[in-house]
Amino acid sequence: MVPNKLTPNIAPILIEALPYIRHFHGKTIVIKYGGNAMVDEVLKKSFARDIVLMKLVGINPVIVHGGGPQISKLLEQIGKESEFIDGMRVTDRETMDIVEMVLGGLVNKEIVNLINSQGGKAVGLSGKDGGMIQAEKLTIKKDDPEARVPEIIDIGHVGRVKHIDPADQHTRRTQPARGVGNRTQCR
């Protein structure tokens, strides 16, 4: 391949990447995907291409994604107002249903399709699938100088990850996909 404006000389890039490829070959890497990379079409395509490349050089990418703006948009469309406390969405049962629909259906499927359109073989999983992710309820503590004890605020169906079963990840890589969700894995 002759270098031109659109295709830079690839050899120096590969030489620079080689130590990282060697170091991470055969390892599973968790990648947080969110922000502008989820809304800009050029960045989305670039992200998907990079994930496929990682898999092709022997790295096992697992993508954990957000979807806050998409959740807010759907809640607004159905007329449900979002409430945030210290940056955390207060999540009642109805809101949780919307969160699961958006993350497990809309967002996850889009990521899977993006990766697959670039030649990958991604599957979408949810932390609920097979009890892969265990969480504990999260509350917010507000200090009140006038009170002797801090106020504990219940923000609903919001949790902190307590445990992830990585053995289940290996099983999922070797069996057909089950379910959808907020994790995407490239086979």
Side-chain angles (χ1 to χ4, degrees), residues 15 23 30 32 46 54 57 74 81 95 106 117 124 128 153 155 174 181-182:
I15 290 168
H23 179 77
V30 177
K32 170 66 167 91
S46 177
M54 289 172 74
V57 298
L74 188 53
E81 199 167 314
T95 302
L106 300 172
S117 75
K128 290 176 85 172
I153 301 172
I155 53 177
T174 58
N182 58 352

Side-chain angles (χ1 to χ4, degrees), residues 62 125 132 165-174 183 185:
V62 173
L125 304 172
M132 179 174 39
D165 184 359
D168 201 23
Q169 287 297 315
H170 175 72
T171 302
R172 291 176 191 283
R173 279 197 296 271
T174 58
R183 296 170 63 84
Q185 188 169 327

Side-chain angles (χ1 to χ4, degrees), residues 30-34 38 47 62-68 71 96 98-112 123-129 131-135 159 161 164 169 172 178-185:
V30 177
I31 300 160
K32 170 66 167 91
Y33 178 55
M38 289 184 74
F47 163 79
V62 173
I63 296 95
V64 179
H65 63 79
I71 294 165
M96 190 66 199
I98 299 294
V99 167
E100 288 179 358
M101 283 192 320
V102 170
L103 295 179
L106 300 172
V107 175
N108 192 280
K109 289 295 185 192
E110 179 183 18
I111 295 168
V112 168
V123 295
L125 304 172
S126 167
K128 290 176 85 172
D129 293 334
M132 179 174 39
I133 299 176
Q134 300 296 313
V161 173
I164 297 175
Q169 287 297 315
R172 291 176 191 283
R178 302 181 314 232
V180 296
N182 58 352
R183 296 170 63 84
T184 303
Q185 188 169 327

Side-chain angles (χ1 to χ4, degrees), residues 80-157:
K80 185 159 179 72
E81 199 167 314
S82 292
E83 179 186 355
F84 290 87
I85 299 174
D86 289 348
M88 304 296 290
R89 185 186 307 271
V90 176
T91 308
D92 60 12
R93 182 72 250 164
E94 181 184 26
T95 302
M96 190 66 199
D97 289 343
I98 299 294
V99 167
E100 288 179 358
M101 283 192 320
V102 170
L103 295 179
L106 300 172
V107 175
N108 192 280
K109 289 295 185 192
E110 179 183 18
I111 295 168
V112 168
N113 290 334
L114 277 168
I115 293 169
N116 292 345
S117 75
Q118 296 299 311
K121 293 184 180 177
V123 295
L125 304 172
S126 167
K128 290 176 85 172
D129 293 334
M132 179 174 39
I133 299 176
Q134 300 296 313
E136 59 189 7
K137 186 169 180 58
L138 181 67
T139 55
I140 295 177
K141 275 204 264 187
K142 286 270 193 180
D143 288 324
D144 182 352
E146 296 177 16
R148 288 193 271 178
V149 294
E151 177 186 9
I152 306 296
I153 301 172
D154 182 356
I155 53 177
H157 297 273

Side-chain angles (χ1 to χ4, degrees), residues 28-76:
T28 298
I29 297 182
V30 177
I31 300 160
K32 170 66 167 91
Y33 178 55
N36 286 331
M38 289 184 74
V39 294
D40 181 284
E41 292 303 317
V42 173
L43 292 176
K44 286 170 29 175
K45 187 174 180 179
S46 177
F47 163 79
R49 193 174 47 244
D50 290 349
I51 296 300
V52 172
L53 176 62
M54 289 172 74
K55 186 63 181 171
L56 289 172
V57 298
I59 299 168
N60 301 308
V62 173
I63 296 95
V64 179
H65 63 79
Q70 295 91 330
I71 294 165
S72 293
K73 182 178 176 183
L74 188 53
L75 287 170
E76 184 179 313

